[in-house]
Amino acid sequence: QVRLVESGGGSVQAGGDLRLSCAASGLTFHTYTMGWFRRAPGEEREFVAGLSAGGALDGYGDSVKGRFTISRDNAKNTVYLQMTALKPEDTAVYYCVATSNGSWRRPDGWDYWGQGTQVTVSS
């Protein structure tokens, strides 16, 4: 059974930083592309970041490019999302995702989803 468990969410003031972690189990982690989506209240799910299995290729949503960084530790089966210069509009539930071969920017391109972790940014 595949499990993706997010942690590190919380409340922060605008301009602050947070680092999310996602511990994966039940899959051959180093063969999966990993990523993050988010969903703000009343909004559609939004692609945040993706990182290829070997870590050589990454991609970001336009709204977070230059502020967020995705990384992974294949020895620990963990993917991270370092978020800096946070803005109130970054407030959302953040989901860890995994795919063996999908389209990164589409929600239906991902095979597995975590339960999500709340990030709240106050102005």
Side-chain angles (χ1 to χ4, degrees):
Q1 180 182 357
V2 174
R3 291 191 69 205
L4 303 175
V5 180
E6 303 94 339
S7 61
S11 297
V12 64
Q13 288 192 323
D17 304 338
L18 278 177
R19 188 176 83 153
L20 304 183
S21 300
C22 170
S25 60
L27 74 170
T28 309
F29 184 79
H30 69 273
T31 68
Y32 276 75
T33 292
M34 301 298 296
W36 294 89
F37 270 74
R38 69 185 183 185
R39 188 170 202 165
E43 301 289 332
E44 297 292 321
R45 287 174 292 181
E46 177 188 11
F47 172 74
V48 174
L51 184 62
S52 61
L57 181 64
D58 62 9
Y60 296 90
D62 289 341
S63 60
V64 307
K65 202 172 295 183
R67 298 188 297 122
F68 291 10
T69 303
I70 187 171
S71 61
R72 64 192 295 161
D73 185 338
N74 285 350
K76 295 182 178 180
N77 286 7
T78 301
V79 62
Y80 305 97
L81 185 68
Q82 179 67 49
M83 305 185 293
T84 64
L86 283 160
K87 305 174 181 180
E89 51 264 44
D90 294 318
T91 295
V93 177
Y94 283 72
Y95 298 92
C96 177
V97 292
T99 184
S100 57
N101 187 22
S103 174
W104 286 21
R105 296 180 183 272
R106 295 165 51 106
D108 62 5
W110 298 84
D111 301 320
Y112 303 106
W113 291 71
Q115 291 298 306
T117 185
Q118 176 71 45
V119 171
T120 302
V121 184
S122 58
S123 58

